[in-house]
Amino acid sequence: MTQISSNLLGAIGGVPRPDTDVVVDARDVNKWFGRLHVLKDVCLQVKRQETVVIIGPSGSGKTTFIRCVNHLEKIQGGRIFVNGHLIGYREAGGGTKLVEDKEKNIAKQRQEIGMVFQRFNLFPHMTAIENIIEAPINVRGMPHDEAMVMGRALLERVGLAAKEKVYPNQLSGGQQQRIAIARALAMKPALMLFDEPTSALDPEMIGEVLEVMKELAREGMTMIVVSHEMGFAREVANRVVMMDDGVVVEEGTPDQIFSGPTQERTKAFLSKIL
């Protein structure tokens, strides 16, 4: 992949500076699916330029939590703030209850939050660059020529400059995921969420996606990553958060979590995967 200049990074939204050093502030977040209590008083702060990797067994609430951060899932208790703004809701009754915000306000909030899913979700009828420039043009009102310059810079950034006119079904899984990352970056987000971005990839394609994510971390993009890639967590994360049964079991630096976890549940989980 080709490194691009800091000036160009600024032009395409490399690392926006939010209004506060705390980008994500989740306070006592609760979420139910019917009778299933999937998030139980989850509290988590993520500071600007931090990479936080969330680990834990399947069904622990990891994916549900990051989907709540951009209001793809509604919470039933607590608050989630991004850049100091309450996500998905407005307070009523003197701040004692939440009322879901208007959809146009929620959509505006999501513009600041990029998300990369397990599945790539690219538009199959659009080329790589068309996938990247669609939202900047139609949501942010960016002129087409400007969007094309940005789109080509992002393709270069993820190592796919030669794939500008290629359709998704002509790309490997790893290439599609890198296009998905570029598409998320095109909206100049202050925060990037990754939901197990390598889980649907063949083993030989995982490294190319992780390398893009490592580069983003080095550049200072604020990221929350749900992942089973423990090598990535060791190398890149500022903090590792262990979740199980809807709660944060413990959190700490990679060295603290992988070399000296304090909680028996964390020790048991890591003993099975390391």
Side-chain angles (χ1 to χ4, degrees), residues 206-226:
I206 290 174
E208 62 192 42
V209 173
L210 292 179
E211 190 56 42
V212 172
M213 295 170 64
K214 290 175 185 178
E215 189 169 326
L216 288 176
R218 288 192 290 265
E219 292 166 356
M221 174 61 74
T222 307
M223 304 195 297
I224 304 177
V225 183
V226 170

Side-chain angles (χ1 to χ4, degrees), residues 87-117:
I87 293 295
Y89 299 92
R90 56 184 175 83
E91 293 182 334
T96 60
K97 64 178 182 177
L98 295 181
V99 177
E100 190 165 18
D101 209 343
K102 295 178 181 179
E103 185 57 41
K104 68 175 183 179
N105 293 334
I106 296 171
K108 186 175 181 180
Q109 290 175 332
R110 287 192 183 123
Q111 293 178 26
E112 307 302 319
I113 305 170
M115 186 159 185
V116 178
F117 301 86

Side-chain angles (χ1 to χ4, degrees), residues 145-179:
D145 289 349
E146 182 181 339
M148 287 294 290
V149 171
M150 178 194 66
R152 286 173 177 142
L154 284 168
L155 282 171
E156 182 178 3
R157 185 180 190 181
V158 299
L160 293 172
K163 302 296 184 180
E164 175 180 327
K165 298 181 180 180
V166 175
Y167 288 90
N169 65 2
Q170 299 170 300
L171 297 169
S172 70
Q175 290 171 333
Q176 289 187 62
Q177 193 62 296
R178 283 187 278 161
I179 296 296

Side-chain angles (χ1 to χ4, degrees), residues 4-17 132 136 140 142-143 145-154 157 182 185-189 219 221:
I4 55 182
S5 72
S6 58
N7 289 338
L8 186 52
L9 273 176
I12 63 175
V15 186
R17 187 181 184 93
I132 293 170
R140 291 201 182 271
M142 184 179 290
D145 289 349
E146 182 181 339
M148 287 294 290
V149 171
M150 178 194 66
R152 286 173 177 142
L154 284 168
R157 185 180 190 181
L185 291 173
M187 290 298 286
K188 304 181 181 181
E219 292 166 356
M221 174 61 74

